[in-house]
Amino acid sequence: MNAMFSPSLMCMDLTKFKQQINALNTRATFYHVDIMDGHYVKNITLSPFFIQQLKKIATIPVDVHLMCERPEDIIPLCLDAGADIISFHPETAGNKIFRLIQEIKEAGKQVGVVLNPSEPIEMVNEYIHLLDKITIMSVDPGFAGQKFIPETLNKIRRLKTLRDEQHYHYLLEIDGSCNPKTFKTVAASGVDVFIVGTSGLFSLDTNIEKAWDKMIEIFQRETADLTLA
């Protein structure tokens, strides 16, 4: 499987919204939309309304990452807005995890969970077979521009081995500081999807097409001696 890239739209230039989305439609695999409620993390970013507007021109799946204390309140809004994939932090769902997974799947959408740097993969043992995607945070959630935590790659490796052994179908995704400094190390872990934000994509050029081309050139150069499966 070739590397897939998911631009984090909280990092985009919203004054160029339509222009950048039209360009990314033919380049990216997913759009990553962070929804933060100001409680689970001390930040407030995008919203179901943003998803609704994005879906008017997006031609690739919209992948929503909920950083909210009550995902059960936000999931229906995201489904109504047109989200294609919804991921939440399992510790916020408590005894509602199976119900939330079922709600998302019954709507015909894909479901994922997100593990923070300090959280073990054992947290998802009971329902891992139901997941379409597992996102590993390589920084603490909430803010862009944090320092990469290399220990998180151990989880990627273990989850990839487990997927191969048990024939699970989830994608493995990494979120946080995916950029020229970390591309090679992250790619070597066996991850499928790279979420790219300011340092990985949007700061490379003010023209998003040129920024994307630069990102791909850097990625290919940094990973040239790796075999990406």
Short mmCIF file of all heavy atoms in Angstrom, two decimals, residues 32 34 63-65 85-90 111-117 119 121 124 131-138 152 155-156 159 170-176 191 193 195:
data_model
loop_
_atom_site.label_atom_id
_atom_site.label_comp_id
_atom_site.label_asym_id
_atom_site.label_seq_id
_atom_site.Cartn_x
_atom_site.Cartn_y
_atom_site.Cartn_z
N HIS A 32 -8.68 15.90 6.78
CA HIS A 32 -8.71 15.73 8.23
C HIS A 32 -9.32 16.97 8.87
O HIS A 32 -8.78 18.08 8.71
CB HIS A 32 -7.30 15.49 8.76
CG HIS A 32 -7.25 15.13 10.21
ND1 HIS A 32 -7.49 13.85 10.65
CD2 HIS A 32 -7.01 15.88 11.30
CE1 HIS A 32 -7.39 13.83 11.97
NE2 HIS A 32 -7.11 15.05 12.39
N ASP A 34 -10.45 18.56 12.43
CA ASP A 34 -10.40 18.51 13.90
C ASP A 34 -11.55 19.32 14.48
O ASP A 34 -11.71 20.50 14.15
CB ASP A 34 -9.08 19.09 14.41
CG ASP A 34 -7.89 18.18 14.14
OD1 ASP A 34 -7.95 17.00 14.57
OD2 ASP A 34 -6.92 18.63 13.51
N ASP A 63 -12.73 13.14 6.92
CA ASP A 63 -12.38 12.35 8.09
C ASP A 63 -12.37 13.27 9.31
O ASP A 63 -11.57 14.21 9.37
CB ASP A 63 -11.01 11.71 7.86
CG ASP A 63 -10.52 10.90 9.03
OD1 ASP A 63 -11.33 10.54 9.89
OD2 ASP A 63 -9.30 10.61 9.07
N VAL A 64 -13.24 13.01 10.26
CA VAL A 64 -13.42 13.91 11.40
C VAL A 64 -12.79 13.32 12.66
O VAL A 64 -13.02 12.16 12.99
CB VAL A 64 -14.92 14.17 11.65
CG1 VAL A 64 -15.12 15.09 12.86
CG2 VAL A 64 -15.57 14.77 10.42
N HIS A 65 -12.01 14.13 13.34
CA HIS A 65 -11.36 13.76 14.60
C HIS A 65 -12.01 14.56 15.71
O HIS A 65 -11.86 15.78 15.78
CB HIS A 65 -9.85 14.05 14.50
CG HIS A 65 -9.10 13.84 15.77
ND1 HIS A 65 -7.79 14.25 15.94
CD2 HIS A 65 -9.45 13.26 16.96
CE1 HIS A 65 -7.38 13.95 17.15
NE2 HIS A 65 -8.38 13.36 17.79
N ILE A 85 -15.92 9.62 7.71
CA ILE A 85 -15.23 8.84 8.74
C ILE A 85 -15.27 9.66 10.02
O ILE A 85 -15.01 10.87 9.99
CB ILE A 85 -13.76 8.56 8.36
CG1 ILE A 85 -13.64 8.00 6.94
CG2 ILE A 85 -13.11 7.61 9.37
CD1 ILE A 85 -12.22 8.01 6.39
N ILE A 86 -15.59 9.03 11.13
CA ILE A 86 -15.59 9.74 12.42
C ILE A 86 -14.75 8.95 13.41
O ILE A 86 -14.97 7.76 13.63
CB ILE A 86 -17.02 9.92 12.97
CG1 ILE A 86 -17.87 10.75 12.00
CG2 ILE A 86 -16.98 10.58 14.34
CD1 ILE A 86 -19.31 10.93 12.42
N SER A 87 -13.78 9.64 14.00
CA SER A 87 -12.92 9.03 15.01
C SER A 87 -13.06 9.80 16.32
O SER A 87 -13.14 11.03 16.31
CB SER A 87 -11.45 9.04 14.55
OG SER A 87 -11.28 8.30 13.36
N PHE A 88 -13.06 9.07 17.41
CA PHE A 88 -13.16 9.71 18.73
C PHE A 88 -12.15 9.08 19.68
O PHE A 88 -11.58 8.02 19.40
CB PHE A 88 -14.59 9.58 19.29
CG PHE A 88 -15.09 8.16 19.39
CD1 PHE A 88 -14.85 7.38 20.51
CD2 PHE A 88 -15.80 7.59 18.34
CE1 PHE A 88 -15.30 6.08 20.61
CE2 PHE A 88 -16.26 6.28 18.42
CZ PHE A 88 -16.01 5.51 19.56
N HIS A 89 -11.91 9.75 20.79
CA HIS A 89 -11.01 9.24 21.81
C HIS A 89 -11.80 8.30 22.72
O HIS A 89 -12.80 8.71 23.30
CB HIS A 89 -10.40 10.39 22.62
CG HIS A 89 -9.40 11.19 21.84
ND1 HIS A 89 -8.04 11.06 22.04
CD2 HIS A 89 -9.55 12.10 20.85
CE1 HIS A 89 -7.40 11.88 21.21
NE2 HIS A 89 -8.29 12.52 20.48
N PRO A 90 -11.37 7.03 22.86
CA PRO A 90 -12.18 6.06 23.59
C PRO A 90 -12.46 6.43 25.03
O PRO A 90 -13.53 6.09 25.56
CB PRO A 90 -11.38 4.75 23.47
CG PRO A 90 -10.02 5.15 23.02
CD PRO A 90 -10.17 6.41 22.27
N VAL A 111 -15.68 4.21 11.05
CA VAL A 111 -15.44 4.62 12.43
C VAL A 111 -13.99 4.33 12.82
O VAL A 111 -13.40 3.34 12.41
CB VAL A 111 -16.42 3.92 13.40
CG1 VAL A 111 -16.21 2.41 13.39
CG2 VAL A 111 -16.27 4.48 14.82
N GLY A 112 -13.44 5.24 13.61
CA GLY A 112 -12.08 5.06 14.11
C GLY A 112 -11.97 5.52 15.54
O GLY A 112 -12.88 6.15 16.09
N VAL A 113 -10.85 5.18 16.16
CA VAL A 113 -10.53 5.70 17.48
C VAL A 113 -9.15 6.34 17.43
O VAL A 113 -8.35 6.06 16.54
CB VAL A 113 -10.57 4.61 18.58
CG1 VAL A 113 -11.98 4.08 18.77
CG2 VAL A 113 -9.59 3.50 18.27
N VAL A 114 -8.90 7.20 18.41
CA VAL A 114 -7.64 7.94 18.49
C VAL A 114 -6.99 7.67 19.84
O VAL A 114 -7.64 7.83 20.88
CB VAL A 114 -7.88 9.45 18.30
CG1 VAL A 114 -6.54 10.19 18.26
CG2 VAL A 114 -8.71 9.73 17.07
N LEU A 115 -5.74 7.26 19.82
CA LEU A 115 -5.01 6.99 21.06
C LEU A 115 -3.97 8.08 21.30
O LEU A 115 -3.14 8.37 20.42
CB LEU A 115 -4.32 5.63 20.98
CG LEU A 115 -5.25 4.41 20.90
CD1 LEU A 115 -4.42 3.12 20.76
CD2 LEU A 115 -6.15 4.33 22.12
N ASN A 116 -4.01 8.66 22.48
CA ASN A 116 -3.03 9.66 22.88
C ASN A 116 -1.66 9.00 23.11
O ASN A 116 -1.58 7.77 23.27
CB ASN A 116 -3.49 10.37 24.16
CG ASN A 116 -4.67 11.27 23.90
OD1 ASN A 116 -4.81 11.85 22.83
ND2 ASN A 116 -5.56 11.38 24.89
N PRO A 117 -0.60 9.81 23.14
CA PRO A 117 0.75 9.23 23.28
C PRO A 117 0.93 8.28 24.46
O PRO A 117 1.64 7.28 24.35
CB PRO A 117 1.64 10.47 23.41
CG PRO A 117 0.92 11.52 22.64
CD PRO A 117 -0.54 11.26 22.91
N GLU A 119 -1.38 6.43 25.93
CA GLU A 119 -2.40 5.39 26.04
C GLU A 119 -1.99 4.11 25.30
O GLU A 119 -1.54 4.18 24.16
CB GLU A 119 -3.74 5.91 25.51
CG GLU A 119 -4.32 7.01 26.39
CD GLU A 119 -5.52 7.70 25.77
OE1 GLU A 119 -5.69 7.60 24.53
OE2 GLU A 119 -6.26 8.34 26.53
N ILE A 121 -2.32 0.37 23.36
CA ILE A 121 -3.24 -0.18 22.37
C ILE A 121 -4.24 -1.15 22.99
O ILE A 121 -5.30 -1.41 22.41
CB ILE A 121 -2.48 -0.86 21.21
CG1 ILE A 121 -1.69 -2.07 21.71
CG2 ILE A 121 -1.55 0.12 20.53
CD1 ILE A 121 -1.02 -2.86 20.59
N VAL A 124 -8.21 -0.73 23.22
CA VAL A 124 -9.21 -1.00 22.18
C VAL A 124 -9.39 -2.49 21.91
O VAL A 124 -10.05 -2.87 20.92
CB VAL A 124 -8.85 -0.26 20.88
CG1 VAL A 124 -8.71 1.23 21.13
CG2 VAL A 124 -7.55 -0.80 20.27
N LEU A 131 -13.12 -1.72 13.97
CA LEU A 131 -12.58 -0.41 13.59
C LEU A 131 -12.11 -0.35 12.15
O LEU A 131 -11.49 -1.29 11.64
CB LEU A 131 -11.44 -0.03 14.53
CG LEU A 131 -11.80 0.08 16.02
CD1 LEU A 131 -10.55 0.35 16.85
CD2 LEU A 131 -12.86 1.16 16.25
N ASP A 132 -12.38 0.78 11.51
CA ASP A 132 -11.90 1.03 10.15
C ASP A 132 -10.58 1.79 10.16
O ASP A 132 -9.86 1.78 9.16
CB ASP A 132 -12.94 1.85 9.37
CG ASP A 132 -14.27 1.12 9.25
OD1 ASP A 132 -14.28 0.03 8.65
OD2 ASP A 132 -15.28 1.63 9.77
N LYS A 133 -10.29 2.46 11.28
CA LYS A 133 -9.07 3.26 11.35
C LYS A 133 -8.66 3.42 12.81
O LYS A 133 -9.51 3.57 13.69
CB LYS A 133 -9.29 4.64 10.71
CG LYS A 133 -8.04 5.51 10.66
CD LYS A 133 -8.20 6.63 9.62
CE LYS A 133 -9.29 7.60 9.97
NZ LYS A 133 -8.93 8.44 11.14
N ILE A 134 -7.35 3.37 13.05
CA ILE A 134 -6.81 3.71 14.37
C ILE A 134 -5.78 4.81 14.16
O ILE A 134 -4.83 4.65 13.38
CB ILE A 134 -6.16 2.49 15.05
CG1 ILE A 134 -7.18 1.36 15.24
CG2 ILE A 134 -5.56 2.90 16.40
CD1 ILE A 134 -6.59 0.08 15.82
N THR A 135 -5.99 5.91 14.85
CA THR A 135 -5.08 7.05 14.75
C THR A 135 -4.21 7.11 16.00
O THR A 135 -4.73 7.09 17.12
CB THR A 135 -5.87 8.36 14.61
OG1 THR A 135 -6.72 8.29 13.48
CG2 THR A 135 -4.92 9.55 14.45
N ILE A 136 -2.93 7.17 15.80
CA ILE A 136 -1.98 7.31 16.90
C ILE A 136 -1.52 8.76 16.95
O ILE A 136 -0.96 9.28 15.98
CB ILE A 136 -0.77 6.37 16.71
CG1 ILE A 136 -1.22 4.90 16.64
CG2 ILE A 136 0.25 6.58 17.83
CD1 ILE A 136 -1.97 4.42 17.87
N MET A 137 -1.76 9.39 18.08
CA MET A 137 -1.27 10.76 18.28
C MET A 137 0.22 10.70 18.61
O MET A 137 0.63 9.99 19.53
CB MET A 137 -2.01 11.44 19.44
CG MET A 137 -3.50 11.66 19.23
SD MET A 137 -3.88 12.81 17.89
CE MET A 137 -3.07 14.31 18.44
N SER A 138 1.02 11.42 17.84
CA SER A 138 2.46 11.48 18.11
C SER A 138 2.84 12.78 18.81
O SER A 138 4.01 13.09 18.99
CB SER A 138 3.26 11.33 16.81
OG SER A 138 2.82 12.26 15.85
N THR A 152 5.80 6.86 20.32
CA THR A 152 4.47 6.49 19.83
C THR A 152 4.53 5.54 18.63
O THR A 152 3.56 4.84 18.33
CB THR A 152 3.67 7.75 19.43
OG1 THR A 152 4.41 8.49 18.44
CG2 THR A 152 3.44 8.64 20.64
N LYS A 155 3.61 1.80 18.94
CA LYS A 155 2.21 1.38 18.82
C LYS A 155 1.84 1.09 17.37
O LYS A 155 1.09 0.15 17.08
CB LYS A 155 1.29 2.45 19.42
CG LYS A 155 1.26 2.43 20.93
CD LYS A 155 0.25 3.39 21.50
CE LYS A 155 0.78 4.80 21.54
NZ LYS A 155 -0.09 5.70 22.34
N ILE A 156 2.38 1.90 16.47
CA ILE A 156 2.13 1.66 15.05
C ILE A 156 2.65 0.28 14.66
O ILE A 156 1.96 -0.52 14.00
CB ILE A 156 2.80 2.74 14.18
CG1 ILE A 156 2.18 4.12 14.42
CG2 ILE A 156 2.75 2.36 12.70
CD1 ILE A 156 0.82 4.31 13.81
N LEU A 159 0.49 -2.51 16.19
CA LEU A 159 -0.83 -2.58 15.57
C LEU A 159 -0.76 -3.13 14.15
O LEU A 159 -1.68 -3.82 13.70
CB LEU A 159 -1.50 -1.20 15.57
CG LEU A 159 -2.05 -0.73 16.91
CD1 LEU A 159 -2.34 0.76 16.89
CD2 LEU A 159 -3.31 -1.51 17.28
N TYR A 170 -8.36 -2.34 9.71
CA TYR A 170 -8.20 -0.93 10.02
C TYR A 170 -6.98 -0.32 9.33
O TYR A 170 -5.96 -0.96 9.14
CB TYR A 170 -8.11 -0.69 11.54
CG TYR A 170 -7.07 -1.53 12.26
CD1 TYR A 170 -5.71 -1.25 12.18
CD2 TYR A 170 -7.47 -2.61 13.04
CE1 TYR A 170 -4.77 -2.01 12.86
CE2 TYR A 170 -6.53 -3.39 13.72
CZ TYR A 170 -5.19 -3.08 13.63
OH TYR A 170 -4.25 -3.84 14.29
N LEU A 171 -7.14 0.96 8.95
CA LEU A 171 -5.99 1.75 8.50
C LEU A 171 -5.26 2.27 9.73
O LEU A 171 -5.87 2.56 10.77
CB LEU A 171 -6.46 2.95 7.66
CG LEU A 171 -6.93 2.67 6.24
CD1 LEU A 171 -7.46 3.96 5.62
CD2 LEU A 171 -5.81 2.10 5.38
N LEU A 172 -3.95 2.41 9.61
CA LEU A 172 -3.14 2.99 10.67
C LEU A 172 -2.74 4.40 10.25
O LEU A 172 -2.15 4.61 9.18
CB LEU A 172 -1.89 2.14 10.92
CG LEU A 172 -2.15 0.83 11.66
CD1 LEU A 172 -0.92 -0.06 11.61
CD2 LEU A 172 -2.55 1.11 13.10
N GLU A 173 -3.04 5.34 11.11
CA GLU A 173 -2.83 6.76 10.81
C GLU A 173 -2.03 7.40 11.93
O GLU A 173 -2.16 7.01 13.09
CB GLU A 173 -4.20 7.44 10.67
CG GLU A 173 -4.17 8.91 10.37
CD GLU A 173 -5.60 9.44 10.21
OE1 GLU A 173 -6.30 9.56 11.23
OE2 GLU A 173 -5.99 9.72 9.07
N ILE A 174 -1.20 8.39 11.58
CA ILE A 174 -0.45 9.11 12.60
C ILE A 174 -0.77 10.60 12.51
O ILE A 174 -0.89 11.16 11.42
CB ILE A 174 1.06 8.85 12.47
CG1 ILE A 174 1.81 9.37 13.71
CG2 ILE A 174 1.64 9.41 11.18
CD1 ILE A 174 3.14 8.70 13.96
N ASP A 175 -0.92 11.20 13.68
CA ASP A 175 -1.34 12.60 13.77
C ASP A 175 -0.39 13.37 14.68
O ASP A 175 -0.33 13.11 15.88
CB ASP A 175 -2.77 12.67 14.32
CG ASP A 175 -3.35 14.07 14.29
OD1 ASP A 175 -2.64 15.01 13.89
OD2 ASP A 175 -4.52 14.24 14.67
N GLY A 176 0.36 14.30 14.08
CA GLY A 176 1.23 15.16 14.89
C GLY A 176 2.65 15.23 14.38
O GLY A 176 3.35 14.21 14.35
N VAL A 191 3.14 2.86 8.99
CA VAL A 191 1.88 3.60 9.01
C VAL A 191 1.32 3.73 7.59
O VAL A 191 2.06 3.72 6.60
CB VAL A 191 2.10 5.00 9.64
CG1 VAL A 191 2.84 5.93 8.70
CG2 VAL A 191 0.79 5.60 10.12
N VAL A 193 -1.42 6.19 6.79
CA VAL A 193 -1.91 7.55 6.52
C VAL A 193 -1.13 8.57 7.33
O VAL A 193 -1.03 8.44 8.56
CB VAL A 193 -3.42 7.68 6.84
CG1 VAL A 193 -3.93 9.06 6.43
CG2 VAL A 193 -4.23 6.58 6.16
N ILE A 195 -1.12 12.40 8.50
CA ILE A 195 -1.83 13.68 8.60
C ILE A 195 -0.79 14.79 8.54
O ILE A 195 0.16 14.82 9.33
CB ILE A 195 -2.64 13.77 9.90
CG1 ILE A 195 -3.74 12.69 9.90
CG2 ILE A 195 -3.26 15.15 10.07
CD1 ILE A 195 -4.51 12.59 11.19
#
